[in-house]
Amino acid sequence: AQSVTQLDSQVPVFEEAPVELRCNYSSSVSVYLFWYVQYPNQGLQLLLKYLSGSTLVKGINGFEAEFNKSQTSFHLRKPSVHISDTAEYFCAVSDHGGATNKLIFGTGTLLAVQP
Amino acid sequence: EAQVTQNPRYLITVTGKKLTVTCSQNMNHEYMSWYRQDPGLGLRQIYYSMNVEVTDKGDVPEGYKVSRKEKRNFPLILESPSPNQTSLYFCASSPRTGLDYTFGSGTRLTVV
């Protein structure tokens, strides 16, 4: 069965510092990978997704992620964070061509940006 | 505007009182799904539907029902809510490919 691990439940960082949010997945088949952001009291917004092709994926708000098949990782990075990036971030995986289109989520990482 | 609309946004109810959370999408998506979000557990799938009249259980279906009589609507029904169903609920839809999910704004349910 597929699973997604986000090792860090909370990541504190100072404004303008770089940040990396870690995501590892387990799957025996090809997968699609996603990062979603949830701002306080809001729904989920897609940051970026990896379907195929280039392993470096660029998303909205200056975020990017790198797909590493050998390490089964899809870490999210931003070179310089802002206070407004404070939110919860979820990594998710979906079967490539699976029958159910199910998104399996990690437990989330709260990014807390401090001035 | 393409969107998934959930109602209500907030709901407080008592144990055992049947309730329905509505979900509607205007994108003609085949696939719809319900998730619940709990602290430390992320989002877990409750039920999903691949098309009209086709529904199936997700990972945590106990205590919930769904129906898909029309393509745009996918209501979540709690026949006899219990306090352990206190949670934040999200409806989502996507085209058949499963590549472009759109999430609703969420329904925060409290069962006392």
Side-chain angles (χ1 to χ4, degrees):
Chain A
Q2 289 178 335
S3 66
V4 177
T5 302
Q6 293 182 248
L7 289 171
D8 306 304
S9 60
Q10 189 166 347
V11 173
V13 63
F14 288 106
E15 196 173 17
E16 297 183 8
V19 70
E20 177 179 85
L21 306 184
R22 296 181 292 169
C23 173
N24 288 87
Y25 68 94
S26 67
S27 175
S28 59
V29 298
S30 297
V31 295
Y32 299 137
L33 293 157
F34 305 81
W35 274 100
Y36 285 88
V37 60
Q38 184 180 33
Y39 298 104
N41 298 315
Q42 294 189 27
L44 289 141
Q45 181 181 2
L46 180 67
L47 268 180
L48 48 81
K49 60 186 176 185
Y50 172 79
L51 306 180
S52 65
S54 172
T55 57
L56 183 63
V57 181
K58 293 191 183 298
I60 62 171
N61 301 339
F63 283 93
E64 63 181 32
E66 184 150 22
F67 170 59
N68 187 319
K69 189 174 182 179
S70 62
Q71 296 187 5
T72 60
S73 67
F74 190 54
H75 301 332
L76 181 71
R77 302 186 183 101
K78 185 169 183 178
S80 175
V81 296
H82 303 287
I83 294 286
S84 59
D85 292 322
T86 294
E88 189 148 27
Y89 292 78
F90 292 95
C91 182
V93 64
S94 173
D95 266 345
H96 185 289
T100 67
N101 286 353
K102 184 165 81 172
L103 273 181
I104 297 171
F105 287 87
T107 52
T109 298
L110 178 62
L111 176 63
V113 182
Q114 304 164 16
Chain B
E1 180 188 355
Q3 59 185 357
V4 175
T5 303
Q6 290 179 234
N7 280 298
R9 288 293 308 276
Y10 302 91
L11 179 59
I12 301 174
T13 191
V14 296
T15 300
K17 185 177 181 181
K18 180 179 178 180
L19 66 92
T20 299
V21 183
T22 63
C23 174
S24 181
Q25 50 99 358
N26 62 2
M27 296 163 282
N28 202 36
H29 285 167
E30 290 88 357
Y31 181 86
M32 297 186 75
S33 180
W34 276 102
Y35 288 85
R36 61 177 287 172
Q37 181 183 1
D38 301 291
L41 297 177
L43 284 89
R44 295 175 292 167
Q45 190 184 58
I46 303 170
Y47 268 94
Y48 66 94
S49 169
M50 298 295 283
N51 215 323
V52 176
E53 302 292 1
V54 181
T55 64
D56 207 346
K57 296 176 181 178
D59 298 316
V60 287
E62 294 77 19
Y64 304 95
K65 286 175 55 177
V66 293
S67 69
R68 188 91 181 273
K69 294 184 171 59
E70 306 163 283
K71 199 171 189 178
R72 63 183 292 125
N73 295 323
F74 190 46
L76 179 70
I77 303 155
L78 285 72
E79 294 269 3
S80 183
S82 62
N84 65 12
Q85 292 178 298
T86 292
S87 186
L88 180 58
Y89 292 85
F90 287 102
C91 181
S93 74
S94 81
R96 188 182 304 277
T97 58
L99 301 180
D100 294 290
Y101 287 83
T102 302
F103 282 83
S105 299
T107 295
R108 187 168 292 281
L109 172 65
T110 302
V111 184
V112 298

